[in-house]
Amino acid sequence: MLSYVFRVLGNGELEHRYFGPILHRRGAFVDPVDIEERPATPAWHLSSGDIQPELHMFEYPSWGHSDFRAPAFVLRQTNGSRTTEFRYEGFSSEKGVARLPGMPCAFDDDGDDSYTLTVDLRDAPTGCLLTLRYAVFPHQDVIVRSATIANGGSEPVVIESAMSLSLDLPDRGYDLIQLSGAWSRENHPTRSRLRPGVGVRHEACGQSAFRATRQAGARQQLGGHVFRFR
């Protein structure tokens, strides 16, 4: 079984804290991220020097704010700006997993073996509402994530890009395993080391799956943490 931990920062953004083996009690959580204020590192605001975006792991990072990593989404406003500030507005939790209209998805209509956490964030200048959904299937060790952006403002916005999820890995030493091939010769595993920079894995048929694994003990599939995405 697994645990997934995130929190709301002082500026209203969501910060990712932990994703891994289950934590049976709150006291068992050892924060894997050691963040201290660093000189010559841009801060979110003069009054919030302890929030230096490039040092944090965000749940759904946005464009700008001195975070120079690739964002999970980009919205273009009518004035050309792509900067947004989605801040926490509220959450809800319910049994079951609803279907995503018009989209392939995992679901549980009966609600007897799953639950869904929904988190809302809003960008005040544009009025846009960002909804993050975490569908949890605890007995299968699966979390299904999705994101919805709704324009609640008076001006149009253009969604230039939007990902279903974003995940920052807390340390190094990961390999990327993907299943390559074509018809009648599928599922040939290839492994490459994850390095700083941008890497692209593309699948036109929508059937590809890959895993990011910790190198220690995982090369012979005998141990180590394995994160699988599809």
Side-chain angles (χ1 to χ4, degrees):
M1 301 183 70
L2 54 82
S3 291
Y4 193 105
V5 181
F6 60 91
R7 68 174 181 174
V8 181
L9 290 174
N11 65 348
E13 292 189 83
L14 300 184
E15 182 186 36
H16 178 76
R17 305 302 289 172
Y18 177 84
F19 180 34
I22 188 171
L23 305 172
H24 293 281
R25 55 187 177 85
R26 185 181 296 271
F29 174 58
V30 177
D31 197 335
V33 183
D34 182 17
I35 297 178
E36 60 182 13
E37 187 174 344
R38 299 182 184 180
T41 300
W44 180 76
H45 193 271
L46 290 175
S47 61
S48 304
D50 59 328
I51 302 179
Q52 296 174 305
E54 66 178 78
L55 305 180
H56 291 264
M57 302 191 302
F58 291 108
E59 274 296 292
Y60 205 68
S62 59
W63 183 270
H65 311 294
S66 70
D67 186 356
F68 304 108
R69 296 166 294 185
F73 68 101
V74 177
L75 302 183
R76 188 178 77 246
Q77 305 168 40
T78 54
N79 61 2
S81 173
R82 292 175 173 83
T83 300
T84 52
E85 293 184 0
F86 280 91
R87 301 185 180 185
Y88 174 77
E89 192 171 81
F91 79 96
S92 63
S93 179
E94 60 184 1
K95 291 185 178 181
V97 176
R99 304 177 187 231
L100 299 177
M103 298 283 290
C105 62
F107 59 89
D108 178 10
D109 293 333
D110 297 328
D112 57 354
D113 194 32
S114 63
Y115 59 92
T116 301
L117 173 67
T118 302
V119 182
D120 291 328
L121 304 99
R122 189 176 296 277
D123 177 54
T126 63
C128 288
L129 178 68
L130 170 63
T131 300
L132 303 179
R133 293 183 179 88
Y134 302 79
V136 182
F137 297 85
H139 299 295
Q140 289 77 31
D141 288 345
V142 172
I143 297 178
V144 180
R145 290 186 54 181
S146 62
T148 303
I149 300 173
N151 187 0
S154 58
E155 297 291 332
V157 296
V158 176
I159 302 177
E160 293 189 342
S161 64
M163 308 299 175
S164 58
L165 68 88
S166 176
L167 179 66
D168 279 322
L169 301 174
D171 52 9
R172 304 178 183 178
Y174 290 90
D175 288 346
L176 176 68
I177 299 177
Q178 70 178 47
L179 303 179
S180 301
W183 184 84
S184 79
R185 55 182 187 278
E186 302 91 345
N187 298 337
H188 290 272
T190 60
R191 181 191 294 261
S192 59
R193 176 60 63 89
L194 284 181
R195 296 180 173 85
V198 177
V200 177
R201 299 297 184 273
H202 177 71
E203 170 56 54
C205 298
Q207 301 296 322
S208 177
F210 64 88
R211 296 175 293 171
T213 72
R214 292 199 65 174
Q215 185 179 23
R219 186 166 295 277
Q220 292 78 32
Q221 298 186 359
L222 300 177
H225 294 167
V226 178
F227 302 95
R228 180 177 180 180
F229 307 89
R230 182 162 187 168

